[in-house]
Amino acid sequence: MKLGLMDTIRMEFDFCWDKETWFLPLEPALEGLSSIDASWQPPGGGNTIWQTVNHLNVYNALLIRQINDAKTGKTVSNMNASFGDIGGPVDPKWTSIFEKDTFGDSGDPSDSEKWKAVLAETHLICENVRNSLTHVDESHIQEELVEILTRQVLHNAYHIGQIVLVRKQQGSWPKERD
């Protein structure tokens, strides 16, 4: 079987979202995590898991817009990026994303409903990324979009590793996963 570029990118996104291979994807990395554990601050500083998930949601939602812009023939912009490898907004309505802290607050340990809503948003965004990727025409893909897609996969994998590390530090990592 010969895989094309977009087949490979879709497969890599699946590996980061929910298809387990030699590293753990995001969905199972978050499985069973409570609002208490998601809002736990690592000793010595760093982001909570809740903040890391917020950050991934912002950039994966931005990725959907960038994919859809590319499908409609708009040029993918790399201007004004706060995260140099992801790219910046084309539409001014996206400017506010880069003016705020994409990690947000650390989360409320007592608000399990809000944490469930964050997880539901994560699921929806990741499924929308997957759906958007299925509609990318490889024969017309812009080089800038290829760069954005491949870097976003790496960005996701990096933060998934952070989530697993924080879970191990706090003791919420399932023993059967060790």
Side-chain angles (χ1 to χ4, degrees):
M1 167 170 53
K2 183 179 178 192
L3 294 177
L5 174 64
M6 284 309 301
D7 295 323
T8 303
I9 291 172
R10 285 189 280 275
M11 184 172 51
E12 288 176 343
F13 181 79
D14 288 345
F15 293 156
C16 284
W17 168 229
D18 63 359
K19 187 173 182 179
E20 197 165 334
T21 58
W22 60 273
F23 73 93
L24 195 67
L26 184 60
E27 189 174 55
L30 297 172
E31 192 173 295
L33 195 64
S34 71
S35 59
I36 294 168
D37 292 332
S39 60
W40 180 81
Q41 188 78 44
N47 292 313
T48 66
I49 291 172
W50 197 315
Q51 289 174 303
T52 302
V53 172
N54 286 338
H55 176 74
L56 287 172
N57 285 350
V58 167
Y59 280 101
N60 283 318
L62 178 59
L63 181 64
I64 295 165
R65 192 216 25 93
Q66 290 172 312
I67 293 168
N68 291 335
D69 279 358
K71 287 188 306 192
T72 61
K74 293 182 183 175
T75 301
V76 178
S77 173
N78 284 323
M79 303 302 293
N80 303 323
S82 66
F83 211 83
D85 64 347
I86 303 299
V90 173
D91 190 313
K93 70 181 180 182
W94 290 95
T95 303
S96 63
I97 289 175
F98 295 111
E99 292 174 349
K100 71 175 186 169
D101 175 9
T102 60
F103 290 91
D105 64 41
S106 61
D108 181 352
S110 65
D111 197 345
S112 61
E113 291 306 310
K114 187 172 182 183
W115 174 240
K116 287 177 189 173
V118 168
L119 292 175
E121 179 183 34
T122 303
H123 184 85
L124 179 64
I125 290 169
C126 288
E127 289 300 323
N128 282 328
V129 169
R130 177 181 279 150
N131 184 50
S132 293
L133 288 171
T134 63
H135 295 97
V136 173
D137 180 358
E138 186 169 329
S139 66
H140 294 95
I141 193 167
Q142 299 172 21
E143 184 177 336
E144 291 168 289
L145 182 59
V146 173
E147 291 174 9
I148 290 168
L149 291 170
T150 56
R151 289 181 177 139
Q152 183 65 23
V153 166
L154 294 173
H155 178 246
N156 287 344
Y158 171 79
H159 286 300
I160 294 164
Q162 287 182 318
I163 290 168
V164 171
L165 178 62
V166 170
R167 288 194 71 177
K168 287 183 176 188
Q169 287 176 329
Q170 72 186 189
S172 71
W173 189 245
K175 300 251 183 273
E176 63 272 8
R177 286 272 185 195
D178 280 341

